[in-house]
Amino acid sequence: MTDTATATTTADVARRPVRETADGTPDAGVDVTKLRKEILAELTYSVGRSPETASVRDWFVATALAVRDRIVDRWVIEHDSEHARPKKRVYYLSLEFLIGRMLFDALHNLGLTEATREALAGLGVDLDQVRGAEPDAALGNGGLGRLAACFMDSMASIGVPAFGYGIRYDHGLFRQGMRDGWQQEYPEDWLSFGNPWEFAHPEVDYPIGFGGYVEQVNDGGKPKHIWRPAEKVEAVAFDMPVVGWRGRHVNTLRLWSARAPDPISLDAFNRGDYVGALADRVRIESISKVLYPSDETPNGQELRLRQEFMFASASLQDLVRRHIEDYGDLRTLPDHVAIQLNDTHPSIAVPELMRILVDLHDLPWAEAWQITVATFSYTNHTLLPEALESWPVSLMERLLPRHMQIIYLINALELEGARGKRPGDDALLASISLIEEGGGRRVRMGVLAFVGSHKVNGVSALHTELMKQTVFRDLHGLHPHRITNKTNGITFRRWLAQCNPRMTQILIDAVGVEVLDDPSRLERLIPMARDSALQEALYAAKRENKMELARIVADRNDVWVDPDALFDVQIKRIHEYKRQLLNILETVAIYNAMRAQPMRAWMPRVKIFAGKAAASYRQAKLIIKLANDVAKVVNSDPTVRGLLKVAFLPNYNVSLAEVIIPAADLSEQISTAGMEASGTGNMKLALNGALTIGTLDGANVEIKEHVGDDHIFIFGLTAQEVEARKRKGFDARAAVDASPTLKQVLDAIRDGVFSPDDPGRYRELVDGLLDHDNFLVTADFDAYFAAQRRVYKLWRDRAAWMNSSIINTANMGWFSSDRTIGEYASEIWDVKPTLG
Ligand SMILES: *Cc1c(COP(=O)(O)O)cnc(C)c1O
């Protein structure tokens, strides 16, 4: 069982993925010579290079194209043949798809990884280098966008016929650089060398209107509304095939790009006004230029609303056209179409579908509304009040005048219904109204999505419960069967098999190759958790992964970390509610303790941070600077050398996550309880054998239930207690006075111990914490510090630690996104998966 775990030393051998042969996976019968010929043909005829002059990037493009050809055969069959037409399709509308690199996804799911490695090796080319030449498709900010990507993989894998609809941003999430420890944002440019996975369809384009007025005409005694937009944009389709596990099913990710109907103003050009000649085009095409840089703060930007409407409208026009071609009649739409709104960003689709049904297809309002509600469902991702999307009525009236009328009518009818059910309850009416009054009237997109959907889901059990009690309390009262929970999941294909081949091979040897198809089979590890051979094999694999990460840390941060130290990682967007600050405070506390007693038998530890802060989020950027300042002092202090290292790795993205997660021992999931809707990083890390230190927040609660209380380090206030503390008014100064450890830490930071170049840098941060500790960092500090001591007590006993680690992996099967998608399919979409 230990062969791959111990025999691998160099990175290229190490990255070798699992052997897929015994069970008749496609890999077994692949003709390597043929594959090599195909790659060479692509290199010559599509890239236009000879093997002698080809760069790594050329080889990547040639390989991707050769693989893509194999996907396309099946794709075309599934989409163009009459017989293959599915009864019902899912349309997943998301403003974000955080996909990452795609080559290994495709290779792994087609069972072509080993064959491709061999085919390229015969040409003197290393597959792992080729893999590294692919840019990350970073069309998302964080968890929400990554969830959409995992769902696309799962829908293709269990056979849910689906389209993902989104925007083809020219520039995805910014690249994060560091200057003197401060975050710098640089534009991301994933398309600069083309995208070999996509098919441009300039002929698939839909007109998107903005502005103008609504004309009311008399249509045989009935009033009819015609929207006359002032401005037209074209939405053009770019398709990427999404191949599922074992290549049995292929779905489509269709991303829209904005195009100006008139590419240039010749008049202006001929006058010599070359910039003016392109001005309209630049303005219009800016709609799909950049991903919005934040998913947690409202950004009242007109361009954002234009993005939302363009992609919602184009997607609806596309699916309505397909439905009419296939079935001829829009009244059967809910029988054949399920539309999932990933957060409120696409919820303008609700009035847009009403407009299509009522204005363009002459359906009566009531019938159109029934169809709409039966077709849509909505996933809520946050309870943070500042992140609940709303748009000024004035902006909506100017940009989307007809939609605003429709929203008013939806609202009037909803309020009438509520009045019927609860007469005289004005507070209720105010709380469920689509229009927020006072301080400038605004449209509440969450309410719009809620009333326009037959199901509304939260993303973890706790989050769904809190949804019922807080943001949607009154709507839940009126529609008690609408809210449902669908706890998030992750695709094990990317987050175990591809990113951690060493561990995967050991798991296959232990429980059988069937585990690749059935993650519940991981439970067979439970009785083996104390088996010392298994423990040692997994420990050795983890150590190899840590060695690889150590090389990256040395390379990028110029710090050497010991692969035998405990790797304590917190990798996620930088946000106050995620409490990276709490982790930094604990780091300083342990640093102080080590300096006070350098001769004690400390266990060596490495604190690893990674994550981006929204460009406009000052406090988050200051927290990054603090982590880097602490790192600088700690890493250069001879007293703690070898005992404590701190590294903030720049530019966190999917590819970096794929390297850090397999190398993690401890997973930090320490958000203020009640604030993290689910988390998915927590799942990736636990699956890869990291133990969790965390609060009872989001899916941590369910992870705890699955792995058991003895195998997770839970600490801190519960969501209820947080609520109670906030209501009472929490006194941070009293908490700090009661904790000498914390007091010493805060004093050191405030007094400039970590910022000798600018001693006042953190004064405001520390004073702010004492005056209004909104995220209860000081309240949870002692409990967190104590939980960390429990971590080290277990870490000292390797057998006990590995037992817990194996128990974690063994019980994570339920967190597969295949399970999540199965639940959406049966309980929300009414679609039967054809596979899995
Ligand atoms: C999984 C993932 C996330 C989400 O992480 P959380 O810890 O759940 O916030 C964000 N970014 C990337 C790149 C991811 O892979």
Side-chain angles (χ1 to χ4, degrees), residues 32 54 306 310 335 355 433 453 482 491 493 496 506 519 569 636 666 793 816 829:
V32 173
R306 285 176 181 261
M310 179 196 74
D335 300 337
R355 188 182 71 86
S433 174
S453 298
R482 196 163 289 189
T491 169
R493 291 168 286 277
L496 181 62
I506 295 165
V569 312
S636 61
L666 186 66
K793 190 156 172 273
S816 160
W829 301 331

Side-chain angles (χ1 to χ4, degrees), residues 39 71 165 251 321 329 349 355 368 405 435 467 643 658:
I39 295 172
I71 301 171
Y165 279 127
N251 282 328
R321 177 195 52 76
D329 185 350
R355 188 182 71 86
Q405 291 179 343
I435 310 293
M467 250 169 76
L643 298 179
E658 287 168 348

Side-chain angles (χ1 to χ4, degrees), residues 547 550-551 553-554 558-563 645:
M547 192 74 106
R551 282 194 207 101
V553 173
D558 204 18
V559 177
W560 178 248
V561 299
D562 172 6
K645 288 281 169 67

Side-chain angles (χ1 to χ4, degrees), residues 77-89 161 322-323 325-327 336:
I77 294 172
E78 292 196 21
H79 285 268
D80 294 359
S81 95
E82 273 291 303
H83 310 290
R85 182 203 297 158
K87 182 178 178 310
K88 192 168 185 179
R89 281 199 187 91
R322 189 172 302 113
H323 178 80
E325 270 173 27
D326 286 352
Y327 301 101
H336 306 291

Side-chain angles (χ1 to χ4, degrees), residues 98 142-143 146 495 571-572 578 652-654 657 669 679-681 684:
L98 187 50
R146 185 52 234 175
W495 295 113
I571 49 172
K572 49 184 75 243
K578 290 177 183 277
Y652 183 55
N653 59 12
V654 171
Q669 308 299 337
T680 48
K684 298 167 197 167

